[in-house]
Amino acid sequence: MTAALSVSNLRKVFVTRKNAVIEAIAGVSLEIGESEVVAILGPSGCGKSSLLRILAGLDDEYEGRIDWSLSKAPDDRLLGATVFQADSTMPWMTVEKNLLIGLSGLRLSPAMAEARVRENLALVGLGGFRRAYPHELSGGMRQRVAIARALATHPLLLLMDEPLAALDAQTRIVMQQELITIWQRTHSTVVYVTHDIAEAVTLADRVVVMTSRPGRIKAIRSVPFGRDRDVIALRRAPAFRELEADLWTMVTEEVGSSLTVDA
C-alpha cells in the first residue's frame, strides 16, 4: 500500500495563560495509505483534534515531521477538505450557496457544480432545503450541510472530527452507510476522529487508539471487513462485536488513566 502521508515523531505543546506547559501529543508516528480510512479513538484531551488540525494545515507549531505523497489534485477535486464538529456553515448564505462556495476553487462547469450540489444534498437528506438559510435549520441539519460541502469537493484527503456527533441515532446510521458508499466512489484518504467505537469499526480500515494525555499511539487494529459493508448486517457479526469489545477495553483503560491524572 502506497502511503498518502507519514507522520514521524509528532509532538505538540500548549502554553497556558499562566505559562504552564501542557504536552498534548508526544512521539506520534503513523503511516496512512492512499484511499485508506483511518479512525482515531481515545479519551477526551488525548490530542485527537490537535492531530487533525495539524494534518489540516491549521496549526504549524509542532515538532516532528509530516511527509505527503499527495501533492496535487485534479482540477475537479480538492487536495484536502475538513469537517469539524462545530457548526461551520456561512450564516448569510443559503444551503446551496454554502456548497457552491466550497466548489469555487475547482474547475467545474455550472452544470457540473449544480449536479454536485444536488447529489450531495440528496445524500445527506437535505434536497428540499437548498434555498434555506442555516438559522432555519437544526444543529444536526447544519452539520449535514458541512458534510455535504466537503464531500462535494471529492477531496483526495478528507479529515473529519466527530462529524456525525450532532445527528440523531437513526440519521447517524444512515449517514455512516452513505459515507461508506461515497468513499468507495471517491477513493478519498480519510482520517476520522470519533468517540464512537462502533462507528470507528463500521467505517475504518484501521483504528488507532491513543493514550491519555500526552497522546501517544497505544495500539492499531486492522478492521477485517471489506469496503462493501452493510452497516446493519455488519454490527450483527461476531467479529464486529469482538473487535468492538477489544477497543472498548483499551479506551476504558485510558479514560481511567486520564481521570486519575486529572484528580
Side-chain angles (χ1 to χ4, degrees), residues 2-262:
T2 303
L5 63 97
S6 299
V7 178
S8 302
N9 202 29
L10 190 68
R11 181 174 183 260
K12 173 64 184 178
V13 172
F14 293 98
V15 179
T16 70
R17 286 180 295 178
K18 296 183 179 180
N19 290 322
V21 176
I22 297 177
E23 190 175 26
I25 303 171
V28 167
S29 295
L30 178 67
E31 276 201 355
I32 298 172
E34 288 186 7
S35 301
E36 184 180 26
V37 180
V38 173
I40 302 179
L41 293 172
S44 295
C46 74
K48 302 185 299 295
S49 294
S50 294
L51 174 60
L52 209 70
R53 287 182 61 82
I54 290 170
L55 295 180
L58 299 175
D59 185 350
D60 59 4
E61 295 184 359
Y62 60 86
E63 297 176 17
R65 180 170 174 170
I66 300 176
D67 294 315
W68 303 82
S69 66
L70 300 173
S71 58
K72 189 177 185 301
D75 290 342
D76 62 346
R77 299 181 67 176
L78 278 187
L79 178 61
T82 306
V83 180
F84 291 107
Q85 184 176 356
D87 180 14
S88 62
T89 54
M90 308 294 184
W92 59 91
M93 292 183 176
T94 63
V95 167
E96 175 185 45
K97 289 184 178 178
N98 263 278
L99 265 68
L100 288 172
I101 196 69
L103 299 175
S104 60
L106 301 179
R107 288 180 177 265
L108 298 174
S109 68
M112 292 171 65
E114 161 62 22
R116 289 204 190 179
V117 169
R118 184 174 61 251
E119 175 188 16
N120 285 279
L121 286 179
L123 280 176
V124 300
L126 293 176
F129 292 87
R130 59 187 298 160
R131 302 286 190 266
Y133 284 87
H135 74 269
E136 299 174 304
L137 308 177
S138 69
M141 293 168 76
R142 290 195 297 272
Q143 185 65 350
R144 281 188 270 162
V145 174
I147 292 170
R149 183 175 58 201
L151 294 175
T153 67
H154 295 182
L156 296 183
L157 177 64
L158 180 60
L159 303 168
M160 309 187 85
D161 190 358
E162 294 277 2
L164 307 184
L167 305 183
D168 61 83
Q170 295 89 346
T171 304
R172 190 164 183 160
I173 292 292
V174 171
M175 282 302 303
Q176 288 170 7
Q177 188 67 66
E178 294 299 344
L179 287 175
I180 290 170
T181 301
I182 291 163
W183 294 340
Q184 284 179 308
R185 186 182 71 239
T186 63
H187 303 289
S188 294
T189 301
V190 181
V191 180
Y192 192 101
V193 167
T194 181
H195 282 94
D196 188 322
I197 293 174
E199 184 168 272
V201 178
T202 298
L203 297 177
D205 299 308
R206 287 189 298 157
V207 179
V208 176
V209 180
M210 294 185 69
T211 66
S212 58
R213 192 176 68 235
R216 298 179 173 87
I217 293 179
K218 179 183 180 76
I220 300 176
R221 293 288 186 268
S222 294
V223 178
F225 312 116
R227 295 305 308 146
D228 186 13
R229 304 177 186 181
D230 180 283
V231 170
I232 301 302
L234 182 65
R235 295 188 179 209
R236 299 192 186 106
F240 181 97
R241 296 195 296 270
E242 182 179 346
L243 179 54
E244 184 184 20
D246 178 39
L247 293 168
W248 264 111
T249 298
M250 288 188 284
V251 172
T252 301
E253 289 173 352
E254 294 307 316
V255 170
S257 296
S258 68
L259 293 175
T260 301
V261 170
D262 291 342

